[in-house]
Amino acid sequence: MVEHILPERQLRELQKAMLDFMQTQGYEESAQVFARETNNEGFAADPKDRHHNLLAKKWTSVIRLQRKIMELESKISKMQADIDSGAIVRRGNKGATEWLPRPPAKTKLAQHRSPITCVRFHPQYTVLATASEDMTVKIWDSESGDFERTLKGHTKAVQDMVFDGKGAVLVTCSADLTLRVWDVANEYKCVRTLHGHDHCVSAVRFLGADKIVSASRDKTIRIWELATGYCVRTLTGHAEWVRCVDVSADARLLCTASNDQSVRVWDPASGECKADMRGHDNVVEVAKFAPVNAYACLRRLAGLPPAPTERPAAAAANGSSNDDVSVAASGASS
């Protein structure tokens, strides 16, 4: 018995891609033998089928990746030589703005029929997900720009989405009051729909590896078990639409932004509001915990002395419709 190095599903995909290649190239006799030996009799190449030209596309990607690997190996060798010699690599006389991305765009992706609401990169693979008001999520190859598939199921605009840390699951939320869980490895099959919010679901994040947190126009924040889809806690306190939610690096705190012009910090384990930060004169659209490696810069901006150690979630930034951005310590009320 032949031992396959590929999982069964990937093996079947490869076989169909090979059959498509042989049939489109005119190798009919070889294709018939191969189809019979792989139990794929009846397969017919179809330009609309996702296996069409897949082998050629993957082969092109492999060549491109090999070229990039060689370029990266060359750069690494040069950097290692600089390190060994004690040289310091400098940016030269370029200004900071010259290092920012600028036109022309490398790739233009066009498939959605309505405004795009969210873009997320897969944490491990060259996969890009885009969400839209057209009620769909599109999956793309972020390296080539090739369109791969459409995720359908929501009945109103998809507002936000997030991959888990390993990229095995994609969670989306929508104005249709639901969240959906998609199994990335199983061709993005929707494996669960979460019901519970009474209004548009605005934002979603992972809370550790086994929980999801969502924010809604119903003025609540809900925490869900990923495995069961059960809502295990509801946080209340905001007086208006909760626009945004973010999770600290250690998953011990949440911060939320609301139309009530406030930013709140929560303990998800107890549901207690740890801080209620105010000062904006308009809707607060977004709130984010600052990464720990940004704290030294934030302390210099605030005129504070360096700290011997830094804890996660010590600072949060938030932006408002009144064009203001505020940075605040998240451990105390203001």
Side-chain angles (χ1 to χ4, degrees), residues 241-259:
W241 183 354
V242 186
R243 293 273 189 163
C244 178
V245 62
D246 195 34
V247 179
S248 64
D250 57 5
R252 296 175 63 182
L253 290 175
L254 308 175
C255 70
T256 54
S258 170
N259 277 21

Side-chain angles (χ1 to χ4, degrees), residues 222-292:
R222 289 179 178 261
I223 299 173
W224 314 77
E225 281 186 345
L226 178 62
T228 63
Y230 293 148
C231 178
V232 295
R233 189 178 298 279
T234 301
L235 311 182
T236 58
H238 280 295
E240 297 290 345
W241 183 354
V242 186
R243 293 273 189 163
C244 178
V245 62
D246 195 34
V247 179
S248 64
D250 57 5
R252 296 175 63 182
L253 290 175
L254 308 175
C255 70
T256 54
S258 170
N259 277 21
D260 65 11
Q261 304 176 13
S262 75
V263 172
R264 288 178 178 248
V265 177
W266 310 80
D267 179 351
S270 65
E272 179 185 358
C273 179
K274 293 290 188 179
D276 183 357
M277 296 177 282
R278 297 179 181 271
H280 288 293
D281 298 324
N282 211 325
V283 171
V284 187
E285 302 272 1
V286 63
K288 291 283 185 182
F289 284 113
V292 174

Side-chain angles (χ1 to χ4, degrees), residues 30-50:
S30 299
Q32 290 173 10
V33 174
F34 187 71
R36 185 171 61 254
E37 292 184 343
T38 58
N39 296 320
N40 281 297
E41 292 177 288
F43 178 88
D46 183 351
K48 296 181 180 179
D49 188 89
R50 59 192 180 85

Side-chain angles (χ1 to χ4, degrees), residues 197-217:
H197 281 295
D198 298 325
H199 213 312
C200 166
V201 189
S202 315
V204 61
R205 294 290 180 272
F206 270 90
L207 179 61
D210 58 348
K211 290 185 176 64
I212 305 164
V213 58
S214 59
S216 170
R217 194 169 182 174

